[in-house]
Amino acid sequence: TAKLSPEKLLCQLRDRVNVTMIHGSDGPFNTSEWQLYLPRKNLSQEVGHFRQCAVVSSAGSLKSSHLGPEIDAHDAVLRFNGAPTIGFQNDVGEKTTVRLVNSQLVTVEEQKFLTDTLYNTGILIVWDPAPYHAEIHEWYRKPDYSFFVNYKAYRSRHREQPFYILNPKMQWQLWDILQENSLEEIQPNPPSSGMLGIVIMMTLCDEVNVYEFLPSKRRTDICHYYQRYHDRACTMGAYHPLLFEKNLVKHINQGQNELIYTHGKVTLPGFRNMHC
Ligand code: NCC
């Protein structure tokens, strides 16, 4: 269904999606107060660059996958939101290098973001749905969730753990590419954490293996590997344009199709290794 060749699409992603984290020198964050909270180093200064990376979706189809050892063999592993490793090592591994969380999770009390030790490992990145191509100032005044309060609270308690705020421009730069390469009109909601995490890792790594974003033969209506809750919308999307994201990732997969079926695995190149 995609309109561009995989090679051209990869180049569009590299050249048009600007993956940056909010820095203390950016727009409304350039106050003395914010300097106390925002990391001084940018993300690539902090982590350097990785050879092989794994992105682990939270899908129920990871259950009984036995992918843990394969996932842990990567130099860096990205996980999402409240996805745990303890008790699930066999299927999802135990290494967490980066955890991408949405602003709802950071804000809503019941999610226990400030107290659950799950969040204390690895580098944290939070993102918030911004209005379509909004200026940072506009978004700052009215974020989708008021996560800045808990961001600051978490930073005060965990000074040593890097914790970034994703620049909200990225989500719409990526959405535009999703729309341009789909035959249908996509709802104007930002991409899922899954799709954002995949592109973040493509900026940091030579190669990115993504697990169970495209469902394997273990495909199930169980939403998450760590819960019993059933909802088909988790895999197909409701708010996020998940189906379109998955079509695009399938199109740019450089691994064998068979590995999607057996491992739920796709292989994507890092941006630095692409020739456009
Ligand atoms: O469920 P969620 O996503 O945390 O999953 C992370 C990413 O894994 C991929 N996924 C997940 C389940 C599934 N069956 N198939 C999948 O492909 C998706 O790419 C997904 O992005 C989110 O994207 O941030 C999301 O967050 C949850 C929820 O806010 C968090 O888990 C925190 O509790 C949203 N669910 C609800 O709001 C009820 C979900 O819509 C999107």
Side-chain angles (χ1 to χ4, degrees), residues 58-59 81 102 104-105 111 192-194 213 223-224 234-235 246:
S58 305
N81 295 318
N102 65 43
Q104 178 195 44
L105 177 114
Q111 302 268 5
S192 71
S193 297
F213 183 65
C223 185
H224 295 134
C234 293
T235 305
K246 292 182 186 208

Side-chain angles (χ1 to χ4, degrees), residues 216-267:
S216 68
K217 62 183 177 186
R218 291 177 297 277
R219 179 189 193 128
T220 166
D221 285 349
I222 297 174
C223 185
H224 295 134
Y225 66 82
Y226 52 92
Q227 288 170 333
R228 296 222 183 145
Y229 167 68
H230 286 246
D231 184 356
R232 175 169 285 175
C234 293
T235 305
M236 303 299 281
Y239 170 75
H240 298 294
L242 251 188
L243 195 61
F244 302 95
E245 300 170 12
K246 292 182 186 208
N247 282 338
L248 183 127
V249 167
K250 173 116 205 279
H251 190 58
I252 57 179
N253 177 28
Q254 300 196 326
Q256 291 173 275
N257 272 326
E258 175 74 9
L259 289 174
I260 300 176
Y261 184 70
T262 56
H263 291 64
K265 176 180 178 179
V266 301
T267 300

Side-chain angles (χ1 to χ4, degrees), residues 36-37 149-160:
L36 302 172
Y37 297 108
V149 177
N150 276 357
Y151 173 82
K152 289 175 180 171
Y154 190 97
R155 286 290 289 158
S156 303
R157 296 182 199 188
H158 306 275
R159 293 302 315 171
E160 302 305 313

Side-chain angles (χ1 to χ4, degrees), residues 165-183:
I165 301 172
L166 187 63
N167 189 315
K169 295 225 161 212
M170 171 200 176
Q171 53 193 270
W172 294 110
Q173 293 163 344
L174 181 54
W175 186 92
D176 282 345
I177 295 175
L178 287 166
Q179 176 62 85
E180 287 165 20
N181 287 281
S182 302
L183 296 171

Side-chain angles (χ1 to χ4, degrees), residues 29 103 107 127-131 136-149:
F29 296 88
S103 56
T107 310
W127 75 276
D128 177 70
I136 305 222
H137 286 82
E138 182 193 344
W139 165 73
Y140 181 78
R141 279 195 299 274
K142 211 176 167 300
D144 197 32
Y145 282 88
S146 311
F147 70 99
F148 294 130
V149 177

